[in-house]
Amino acid sequence: MFAVARSVFWLTLAYLVIKPGADLPDTAELSAQAMAAGSQMIAQQIEAIECQSWECMGGKAVIAAALPATAPVAARVDANPIPVPLPRRRPDQLG
């Protein structure tokens, strides 16, 4: 009986949180904003490093060049769809 009461409680709570007709945020837009904010923060931290050697300057240049090249994960998945192979037919289905 306790399991039923617990299930009813959690289902009711979920219904109140995600009710029909609720405006849910666009996840693609939120992830793009988070990626942009993260890239900007990393770029600011890299620019704050003071270099005294050529190795440090080269490392900063490589990292700075790699930052804008990253694309959101959703864009990469949609750009190159991978076909899924179907399994072979079983011998009893062949004939």
Side-chain angles (χ1 to χ4, degrees), residues 26-44:
D26 183 23
T27 55
E29 182 181 328
L30 287 176
S31 66
Q33 289 176 352
M35 289 295 292
S39 296
Q40 183 180 10
M41 184 201 63
I42 291 171
Q44 290 173 351

Side-chain angles (χ1 to χ4, degrees), residues 30-81:
L30 287 176
S31 66
Q33 289 176 352
M35 289 295 292
S39 296
Q40 183 180 10
M41 184 201 63
I42 291 171
Q44 290 173 351
Q45 293 297 320
I46 291 172
E47 289 174 5
I49 298 172
E50 294 183 20
C51 290
Q52 302 298 327
S53 68
W54 288 100
E55 292 173 352
C56 179
M57 289 180 204
K60 279 177 58 173
V62 168
I63 293 172
L67 279 177
T70 58
V73 175
R76 285 190 219 144
V77 171
D78 294 337
N80 297 324

